[in-house]
Amino acid sequence: MSEILLEGRQLTRRYATDAGRILTACNGVDLMLGKGETLGIVGESGCGKSTLLRLLTQLERPDAGRLLLGGEDVTGLKGEQLRQSRRHIQMVFQDPAAAFFPRMKAGDAISEPLRNFEKLSRQEINKRVAQLLELVQLPKDYAQRYPHSMSGGQRQRLGIARALALNPSILVCDEATSALDVSVQEQIIRLLVDIQRQRRLSMIFVCHDLALVQSLSHRVMVMYLGNGVEILPGDQVWNKACHPYARALLDSVFAIDMNFSKPIAPLEGDVPSPLDLPAGCPFGARCPRFMERCRSEKPPLVPVAPDHQVACHLYNMA
Ligand code: ADP
Ligand code: MG
């Protein structure tokens, strides 16, 4: 991997529920993101993807674990230091419409982060807005339009422009294309990949569509019940993924009329709950390869090949 830009070590986030129970949304996640790298994160709904992103973007603080940005520990930053640190990592959301005030024109919406962070003249702001619109391939005069008068795809281009306004080194996309029609989704993905290459951006792309994620990611992390269970190069996912959960996901995608863009189908077996995390392997209750050891001992991520790690006792020689 190239120079490591972002690193999560044992990131954990728990929420107290109304009933006084503890829900573990992220359970000791380790990950690294290299400069210019796209890391895909995939897993069923509720497995903790968005929570992990909120920890990585410092919108929330982990209950345990550390976050390093450019080699520096940023876990406990507060106030102005936190604000400055956060500008380097920006997020594109699933529904850009919700991110924009209805009465704000597109130009103002995408320049809002700029105005919050930098003292610029009106003229300089207009120039930056024009550059951003060009970057996301929208006409300049769209600056004067209202986002709600645009199509979903155009609004998502605005969302990307806004996320790039501060020239971040990391762009995080949380199901950023999931709400769009397939053809529009393809255009937005192509745009993101172009921008990522041009600017040597690091990108984290979260999605429940395994085929899409693996096609555009250098590496893919598979999440299950708040845990990262396997990390491997995107182009090796189909052939080399070996965690029983990852295999089950792949088989379920294969089984359904070979439609690789189908969202992950729920697997059979007890539906796991982040309220009652098992002591051992998080996938134990549903795993076809379950062994006694899996009941009590949580498998750590261990390397099985270059750039390939798995958290499964089948591959854990320790
Ligand atoms: P995903 O993005 O993979 O669908 P989330 O990170 O949104 O998963 O959610 C993971 C788990 O954490 C879910 O069980 C969800 O209900 C729970 N959760 C997420 N945010 C909160 C919160 N603010 N308070 C309580 N529970 C939460
Ligand atoms: Mg989510």
Side-chain angles (χ1 to χ4, degrees):
M1 197 191 310
S2 56
E3 176 195 345
I4 294 164
L5 212 51
L6 184 74
E7 187 176 351
R9 293 187 189 157
Q10 291 294 302
L11 288 173
T12 300
R13 182 75 173 107
R14 305 182 190 97
Y15 298 108
T17 68
D18 294 341
R21 297 170 78 184
I22 300 292
L23 182 155
T24 308
C26 278
N27 189 23
V29 177
D30 286 325
L31 66 76
M32 283 188 212
L33 178 68
K35 189 164 171 48
E37 184 190 29
T38 299
L39 174 70
I41 301 182
V42 69
E44 289 164 290
S45 174
C47 73
K49 303 182 294 295
S50 295
T51 303
L52 178 61
L53 293 190
R54 288 197 299 277
L55 299 179
L56 296 175
T57 52
Q58 297 169 278
L59 291 169
E60 283 182 31
R61 215 177 288 242
D63 296 296
R66 322 271 345 143
L67 183 67
L68 284 82
L69 185 60
E72 225 172 278
D73 193 329
V74 294
T75 323
L77 291 187
K78 290 191 189 114
E80 184 57 21
Q81 278 185 318
L82 173 64
R83 204 174 84 94
Q84 290 299 338
S85 172
R86 281 181 50 192
R87 65 177 290 176
H88 300 297
I89 165 161
Q90 295 287 317
M91 185 111 118
V92 181
F93 297 93
Q94 173 167 2
D95 180 8
F100 298 135
F101 288 116
R103 278 186 297 280
M104 204 182 246
K105 286 184 181 161
D108 294 329
I110 60 181
S111 62
E112 199 182 23
L114 267 178
R115 285 177 282 123
N116 285 339
F117 273 96
E118 289 170 32
K119 296 239 174 309
L120 296 175
S121 67
R122 208 351 99 186
Q123 205 184 359
E124 285 169 313
I125 288 177
N126 290 344
K127 198 170 136 208
R128 297 278 280 272
V129 166
Q131 288 166 345
L132 285 165
L133 287 173
E134 193 183 346
L135 184 67
V136 298
Q137 297 160 11
L138 285 176
K140 279 195 181 70
D141 61 357
Y142 271 45
Q144 299 306 321
R145 295 203 188 180
Y146 289 98
H148 67 80
S149 69
M150 300 181 190
S151 71
Q154 290 169 339
R155 269 203 301 268
Q156 196 51 296
R157 287 173 193 268
L158 287 184
I160 295 167
R162 182 185 159 105
L164 292 172
L166 293 170
N167 209 6
S169 45
I170 304 171
L171 190 68
V172 175
C173 304
D174 191 2
E175 307 269 5
T177 61
S178 303
L180 303 171
D181 292 342
V182 174
S183 63
V184 182
Q185 179 172 332
E186 275 168 21
Q187 293 164 13
I188 298 288
I189 301 275
R190 212 171 304 134
L191 176 71
L192 281 170
V193 171
D194 281 352
I195 293 174
Q196 185 263 332
R197 288 199 186 130
Q198 264 173 41
R199 301 197 153 198
R200 244 186 126 230
L201 263 178
S202 302
M203 191 156 87
I204 300 182
F205 191 88
V206 167
C207 183
H208 57 263
D209 182 336
L210 182 53
L212 181 62
V213 167
Q214 64 93 31
S215 71
L216 62 89
S217 304
H218 298 107
R219 287 184 309 139
V220 171
M221 175 165 86
V222 180
M223 278 187 82
Y224 185 78
L225 211 54
N227 296 271
V229 297
E230 183 157 14
I231 303 180
L232 77 168
D235 57 7
Q236 296 181 9
V237 169
W238 296 117
N239 295 326
K240 297 280 173 66
C242 56
H243 192 284
Y245 174 63
R247 284 315 327 166
L249 279 187
L250 290 166
D251 293 344
S252 77
V253 181
F254 272 118
I256 310 164
D257 53 43
M258 299 296 273
N259 178 355
F260 296 148
S261 61
K262 207 142 194 153
I264 295 164
L267 303 176
E268 284 178 28
D270 295 337
V271 177
S273 161
L275 276 174
D276 305 298
L277 276 190
C281 176
F283 190 55
R286 291 163 107 190
C287 184
R289 309 283 304 271
F290 182 82
M291 305 179 286
E292 200 43 45
R293 186 181 184 187
C294 310
R295 196 185 306 282
S296 54
E297 207 183 313
K298 183 181 163 183
L301 268 180
V302 293
V304 290
D307 261 346
H308 186 173
Q309 295 157 286
V310 186
C312 173
H313 287 310
L314 288 170
Y315 306 92
N316 178 18
M317 299 310 160

